[in-house]
Amino acid sequence: EDQVTQSPEALRLQEGESSSLNCSYTVSGLRGLFWYRQDPGKGPEFLFTLYSAGEEKEKERLKATLTKKESFLHITAPKPEDSATYLCAALPRNSGGGADGLTFGKGTHLIIQP
Amino acid sequence: DSGVTQTPKHLITATGQRVTLRCSPRSGDLSVYWYQQSLDQGLQFLIQYYNGEERAKGNILERFSAQQFPDLHSELNLSSLELGDSALYFCASSAGGLSTDTQYFGPGTRLTVL
């Protein structure tokens, strides 16, 4: 069964304190690994897509990396406005061809204290 | 703002009832996905439509059904509602039928079944 596990479940950091969020996946062939940010009561907001091991993408204070078994979301010198739940999602291979839905982890709830 | 719209924002109903949730995708997007988000299960993929036709099914109950209309908006119908159906329901859209296309999420409909 395809599975995505995120750790830690919750993380509290001081403003400026860098850290990393982990996303481990076991899927039947990975076609893409997605990171989203979700604020309370709102829809997930797209951040990054990674397609192959070794790939890295950056946006402001965030950098996403991908290996064959996991992905990391590195947050450098975070600010209070970076507080949110960060969701990781894997797109497994669909043996029947065609598209499929994302398999999401349960997220990391990140709090940045001023 | 992702460009995906969902109505209504909130819905309160009773067990045994039937409701319809509506989604309008981003302009030009052909694929629509439905997801359910509950506290214990996280985000779960329900179903995908591409240009009016069902493309993929996830963990969708038989009591639930969906369709995509010629103008590309989609509706998710939930019937014989149970307390456990209370959740946030999100619609997402993507440009084409490629599974690796980025999915952009709407603001969601919060369903409460009493």
Side-chain angles (χ1 to χ4, degrees):
Chain A
E1 183 185 340
D2 298 323
Q3 204 164 3
V4 175
T5 304
Q6 291 188 247
S7 62
E9 286 185 18
L11 182 61
R12 189 182 296 263
L13 300 172
Q14 293 295 316
E15 184 174 358
E17 181 185 358
S18 302
S19 188
S20 296
L21 313 183
N22 177 265
C23 169
S24 299
Y25 60 90
T26 50
V27 298
S28 52
L30 183 74
R31 289 182 288 167
L33 191 292
F34 299 77
W35 282 96
Y36 286 84
R37 167 196 170 123
Q38 186 175 25
D39 293 302
K42 297 195 173 181
E45 175 190 342
F46 171 72
L47 294 173
F48 304 108
T49 308
L50 303 165
Y51 295 105
S52 56
E55 191 174 359
E56 297 184 354
K57 287 195 177 169
E58 276 187 78
K59 179 181 176 181
E60 296 180 357
R61 296 177 293 282
L62 300 176
K63 182 167 86 172
T65 61
L66 182 65
T67 72
K68 288 188 177 177
K69 292 184 179 180
E70 55 193 350
S71 177
F72 293 93
L73 184 66
H74 308 277
I75 301 177
T76 302
K79 299 182 178 182
E81 54 262 41
D82 294 322
S83 298
T85 296
Y86 289 85
L87 298 168
C88 165
L91 185 65
R93 177 182 301 126
N94 184 330
S95 59
D100 205 347
L102 297 173
T103 298
F104 277 87
K106 293 194 175 179
T108 293
H109 181 51
L110 178 65
I111 297 173
I112 308 298
Q113 294 180 307
Chain B
D1 185 356
S2 67
V4 178
T5 60
Q6 290 187 248
T7 56
K9 200 168 183 178
H10 301 280
L11 200 48
I12 301 174
T13 188
T15 54
Q17 295 298 304
R18 172 189 167 96
V19 296
T20 298
L21 314 183
R22 183 188 168 101
C23 166
S24 292
R26 296 186 319 155
S27 177
D29 282 2
L30 299 177
S31 277
V32 169
Y33 306 76
W34 286 97
Y35 289 84
Q36 179 193 59
Q37 186 174 41
S38 59
L39 281 174
D40 55 341
Q41 295 288 330
L43 263 166
Q44 301 271 311
F45 167 65
L46 296 178
I47 197 165
Q48 179 205 0
Y49 278 81
Y50 170 69
N51 204 19
E53 302 217 347
E54 183 183 303
R55 173 66 71 93
K57 259 186 176 177
N59 300 320
I60 190 165
L61 299 172
E62 285 193 14
R63 300 184 284 109
F64 296 1
S65 65
Q67 53 184 329
Q68 186 179 28
F69 294 86
D71 67 351
L72 300 177
H73 90 271
S74 178
E75 292 181 357
L76 179 68
N77 300 296
L78 315 176
S79 61
S80 302
L81 285 167
E82 301 175 0
L83 295 177
D85 298 326
S86 296
L88 269 167
Y89 290 84
F90 289 104
C91 164
S93 74
S94 67
L98 289 178
S99 56
T100 50
D101 288 341
T102 297
Q103 295 180 30
Y104 294 92
F105 283 76
T109 293
R110 182 176 294 278
L111 174 67
T112 302
V113 182
L114 301 175

